[in-house]
Amino acid sequence: MSHPLEPRIAAYIATQMPQATDVAVRDLARISGGASRETYRFTASWTQDGQARERKLILRRDPPASLIDTERRIEFEAYRAFHGTSVPAPEMLWLEEGDGPLDHPFFIAAEIAGFQAGPGLLWAEPYLDTHARLGERKWTILGEIAKADPVANGLAQVMPAVAAEDCWNRELTYWEDVLDADEAEPLPIIRAAIRWLRANPPPPAQKVGVVHGDYRTGNFLYDTEGQIHGILDWEMAHLGDPLEDLGWSLNPIWSFGRGLAGGLLPQDQAVAIWERASGLAADPAALHWWTLFNCVKGQAIWVSSARAWLDGGNREPIMVYPAWAMTNAQDRAALQVMGRL
Amino acid sequence: MIPSVPAVLVDLAGKVMANAMPDANPTDRAATLGLSAMLMGLAAEAWDGAAHNLVMENRAIRGLLARGAAYVPPPEERAEDDFRLSALAAENARLRAALITLQIAVEGRDGAMNEAIWAELRASTERRKQQGSAV
């Protein structure tokens, strides 16, 4: 049974590939997860220069309402900036910002096929012996992102600028505003964390770099050898303090109950790898600030997920899952970072 | 739990019905039913203890608010005579908002009171902790 989106995607691709004929789409399948965008994999086939061709592709489409409001062009350009560099990222093909072709804006990218992204598989064979190598790669690549020059790779032209001394306040204010707008119940632990963060600001960023914004176990494609083949989910990418990304990767919510950074490595090892790869220093006090900040950010995202469901903008079950499964764990993560758990 | 369990279950019931139709797309059906099953598991886990936890938490917070009356007048007392989860959760939200106000007032002024609030906040996360919690 074909999916109703298949002929519409094919029609769109045909407009982007005037040299192709007989464009068709098959095997469209939604990839689970993806609360901020609907993600599908599919195979496109066409005829060109008399030869039949096909390619595995990914569609990322905006949902009616999301748990995070992001600028899809920035996400598209972030992927494009890193594709072909030491930071593995899929090739971007087309960005459509209008609602006409598929009801909501979307982009289409090449699929990096044959690898896993879900973190659940990592805690069983054949992946148990790969954690050290995977952790080494994970925080090395994050260091490479931190090292990247946003002027040279063009992202400074599409991402809003921020001064080194303003990075922390811009991010904290943004996510506090999200909480103010979206929370459906009082959050005393997170509000206390915000008060502490404002009273104890971090030093200015060592550099203003590219921040992925959601760099965690679960947002990269891995194999059974501990290699990483693609960094995904750049929808929250922005310019800022590279320690922000390191702090998000160390948010205890991403330890998956294993007591290790990202479920993979002791925290000090992860930080040492990142420092080596980035050439930057992770001042412990500053990193503590950014790790606690990311507990606030995480809670704001889970709260927004509930809000999108409550307001009726998006009644998909994926919007309920973070609110139900993550809210208390995120509170506990904040307590842990504050030394109160 | 927000959104509330009854509201989510009503919505899931509709989705299960829709996905029982023979013309439902198989991949959409798999994604929807898989997530629906996970949510039903979370709802089942919370079911038995939900009212008990809210009553315990509300009583603990009322005690803290009374103890901190010198800093912030406690909110109006309400009879604890409605044990529907929606009523208990609404009261919990009212009390937790007051607790935030009290904690702001005592931070830097009354270390013992502040620590008592933190102890209750820690206890509340223990009450609400789920099996398989990431933290």
Side-chain angles (χ1 to χ4, degrees):
Chain A
M1 182 189 306
S2 71
H3 194 288
L5 276 178
E6 289 177 354
R8 300 176 68 190
I9 298 169
Y12 176 79
I13 292 175
T15 66
Q16 302 300 311
M17 298 175 63
Q19 71 281 23
T21 58
D22 306 322
V23 178
V25 164
R26 68 172 195 273
D27 302 333
L28 183 80
R30 187 159 179 185
I31 299 172
S32 63
S36 55
R37 304 253 195 272
E38 297 171 355
T39 307
Y40 301 82
R41 62 166 54 94
F42 64 94
T43 300
S45 61
W46 68 94
T47 302
Q48 189 172 336
D49 301 329
Q51 289 190 321
R53 302 181 184 190
E54 66 176 42
R55 193 172 189 189
K56 291 180 182 299
L57 300 174
I58 293 289
L59 166 69
R60 294 260 286 166
R61 182 172 72 151
D62 286 12
S66 171
L67 82 174
I68 48 175
D69 296 319
T70 60
E71 176 55 62
R72 70 199 65 77
R73 175 168 288 282
I74 288 178
E75 179 184 9
F76 186 84
E77 295 297 344
Y79 276 111
R80 217 154 60 168
F82 284 102
H83 175 67
T85 73
S86 59
V87 177
E91 179 188 3
M92 294 291 108
L93 298 175
W94 304 293
L95 171 68
E96 175 56 53
E97 297 181 282
D99 290 337
L102 297 181
D103 303 329
H104 302 287
F106 63 90
F107 63 75
I108 292 175
E111 182 184 9
I112 301 175
F115 306 109
Q116 301 293 339
L121 293 174
L122 282 170
W123 325 129
E125 297 295 356
Y127 297 101
L128 293 176
D129 290 340
T130 69
H131 292 180
R133 268 167 292 160
L134 192 59
E136 176 81 28
R137 286 300 298 143
K138 175 182 172 179
W139 277 283
T140 296
I141 292 169
L142 185 59
E144 296 283 349
I145 294 171
K147 198 162 68 176
D149 179 350
V151 173
N153 67 21
L155 289 177
Q157 293 175 287
V158 293
M159 294 175 169
V162 62
E165 62 273 20
D166 294 337
C167 293
W168 72 269
N169 188 41
R170 186 182 73 171
E171 293 306 308
L172 183 57
T173 299
Y174 176 83
W175 290 107
E176 187 176 9
D177 287 349
V178 170
L179 282 164
D180 290 345
D182 289 350
E183 75 174 10
E185 62 178 346
L187 298 164
I189 293 171
I190 294 302
R191 294 295 177 178
I194 292 171
R195 293 195 298 278
W196 186 91
L197 290 166
R198 289 215 173 277
N200 300 276
Q206 298 161 81
K207 68 172 280 191
V208 174
V210 179
V211 175
H212 176 281
D214 194 7
Y215 195 89
R216 62 176 176 84
T217 303
N219 274 345
F220 53 75
L221 296 166
Y222 58 88
D223 65 17
T224 55
E225 304 300 317
Q227 294 300 315
I228 291 177
H229 298 269
I231 304 298
L232 308 175
D233 288 351
W234 292 77
E235 64 259 46
M236 289 190 280
H238 58 275
L239 299 182
D241 189 332
L243 284 178
E244 182 187 340
D245 260 344
L246 185 59
W248 182 248
S249 78
L250 302 178
N251 181 344
I253 199 97
W254 306 127
S255 69
F256 302 97
R258 298 173 59 82
L260 296 169
L264 300 172
L265 289 180
Q267 179 164 320
D268 59 342
Q269 286 184 31
V271 172
I273 293 165
W274 180 87
E275 287 184 314
R276 204 162 49 238
S278 67
L280 301 172
D283 170 68
L287 182 56
H288 174 260
W289 192 98
W290 283 107
T291 306
L292 184 58
F293 158 78
N294 277 300
C295 292
V296 172
K297 171 179 169 176
Q299 197 66 284
I301 293 171
W302 318 139
V303 158
S304 294
S305 175
R307 175 56 59 198
W309 195 94
L310 288 167
D311 288 350
N314 188 340
R315 284 292 174 106
E316 290 295 316
I318 188 66
M319 306 308 290
V320 179
Y321 184 77
W324 280 12
M326 308 290 264
T327 301
N328 186 54
Q330 191 65 77
D331 268 352
R332 294 174 62 77
L335 286 176
Q336 193 177 91
V337 174
M338 288 189 281
R340 293 190 174 276
L341 186 67
Chain B
M1 292 162 85
I2 294 178
S4 75
V5 171
V8 171
L9 291 185
V10 165
D11 199 75
L12 292 185
K15 287 188 164 50
V16 170
M17 288 285 282
N19 280 284
M21 299 297 160
D23 61 344
N25 180 271
T27 56
D28 289 348
R29 172 188 286 156
T32 299
L33 294 186
L35 271 165
S36 297
M38 291 168 73
L39 293 178
M40 285 188 261
L42 290 170
E45 184 186 338
W47 178 258
D48 188 43
H52 175 80
N53 288 343
L54 285 167
V55 169
M56 292 298 106
E57 190 162 308
N58 290 351
R59 289 177 181 173
I61 297 176
R62 280 193 202 100
L64 288 167
L65 295 172
R67 185 175 152 188
Y71 298 102
V72 177
E76 169 199 352
E77 280 208 33
R78 291 181 184 171
E80 195 178 59
D81 58 1
D82 187 341
F83 294 96
R84 291 173 299 166
L85 283 171
S86 56
L88 292 170
E91 176 67 354
N92 184 257
R94 189 177 77 99
L95 294 172
R96 279 160 70 94
L99 189 66
I100 292 174
T101 304
L102 175 60
Q103 191 169 28
I104 292 170
V106 302
E107 278 172 348
R109 294 172 67 189
D110 186 336
M113 184 76 228
N114 192 29
E115 287 307 311
I117 293 172
W118 277 115
E120 167 49 29
L121 294 177
R122 184 165 54 246
S124 80
T125 71
E126 294 293 345
R127 290 185 201 104
R128 298 169 185 225
K129 187 177 179 184
Q130 296 161 318
Q131 288 178 4
S133 172
V135 183

